[in-house]
Amino acid sequence: LSFFGLRPRACRSARRATGPMARNEEKAQAMLNRFVVAKRDANRVDMTKRPYLASECEDVSHCEVYRGQILKELSKKVSLIQNEGLDEHRVRDLNDAINKLIREKGHWERQIKKLGGADHFRTAPRLFEDDAEEVVPGRGYRYFGAAKKLPGVRELFRKRAPEREKRTRFEMLKGIDADYYGYRDDDDGVLEELERAAEEGSLQQAREDWEARKAARLAAGEPADEEESDGEGDGEDARRAERFQEALPDREAIERAILEKRKREMLAMLGGGDAGGAPKNKEEGSINLVPKSW
């Protein structure tokens, strides 16, 4: 109090004259307190304006503060863009600002991780993901709230009709069974009745054709029965086969002929006989079915 040139008694008298004053207000109005507050504010880092680049901040606590500011701005803008009564240009500007803030938040989270802080990519909840939609899933441009219903954007999110997928050979073969190949067509009895009716019709047609051919042969003077003429031809073939069978030598005759040929060759080599001479005995002369070249 002596700093202001007042004595305690005089100060109390001045307080009574001016009326009661709160103690906190008196302390705040004191010169010393104002000086201390001004000095503290001068030494405090200005956190109201974020750096343009996240890499310029080297303090993890400051990075966390800036990230919190971005989250507050994001929450405010996402709530505002839900209003479908806003103008189209206003909705587009808000959506662009939200996407820019999301990218900036990612920069600050990478800087926090680089400085040894928390890994927000893994631990932090994925905010605003339920309301956002992307044309290209992944890291594309996102649309929020009323921006998804803008002209030209609504068509991008319209679901296309599913294309019919071409079945593979394996999938087609899975549905093939015995019915596909017709193995059980006779089980229902329908085909059997149809075949019986077709068989009767075929037999009747064949009988009529045979009767017509028989009548034509009788009119021409030929044998009436085809089986008789076929039997005569078969008998001639049988007689021809018997004659051919009789002309073939048996195995013993072939062996004797080979032996005689070797004897004649041996005599011809020794000069004691005629290779082309007549047979010496009656048994040799009886072999008439072996060719002379043997």
Side-chain angles (χ1 to χ4, degrees), residues 146-161:
K148 294 183 289 186
K149 300 181 180 180
L150 291 174
V153 179
R154 189 185 300 109
E155 290 76 8
L156 297 176
F157 296 110
R158 185 176 299 169
K159 295 183 179 180
R160 300 177 181 177

Side-chain angles (χ1 to χ4, degrees), residues 51 53-64 66-67 103-121:
L53 297 176
S55 58
E56 295 178 358
C57 184
E58 300 294 337
D59 192 346
V60 177
S61 60
H62 294 173
C63 293
E64 293 285 356
Y66 294 140
R67 179 180 177 274
R103 289 195 300 270
E104 188 175 355
K105 180 174 72 73
H107 296 329
W108 285 108
E109 289 176 351
R110 277 188 287 272
Q111 180 67 10
I112 292 171
K113 183 179 179 181
K114 180 180 178 182
L115 296 176
D119 187 2
H120 294 287
F121 290 104

Side-chain angles (χ1 to χ4, degrees), residues 90-104:
R90 177 62 174 161
V91 174
R92 293 185 184 275
D93 293 341
L94 280 173
N95 200 73
D96 293 340
I98 291 172
N99 280 273
K100 183 178 179 181
L101 287 173
I102 290 176
R103 289 195 300 270
E104 188 175 355

Side-chain angles (χ1 to χ4, degrees), residues 67-79:
R67 179 180 177 274
Q69 293 178 0
I70 294 173
L71 290 177
K72 291 180 181 179
E73 295 179 13
L74 270 174
S75 179
K76 187 182 299 183
K77 292 183 181 296
V78 170
S79 300

Side-chain angles (χ1 to χ4, degrees), residues 223-246:
D225 197 353
E226 291 182 353
E227 295 180 356
E228 295 178 0
S229 60
D230 294 341
E232 295 177 358
D234 294 342
E236 184 66 25
D237 293 339
R239 288 191 294 271
R240 189 180 300 107
E242 291 176 0
R243 289 195 301 269
F244 180 75
Q245 194 72 22
E246 292 174 357

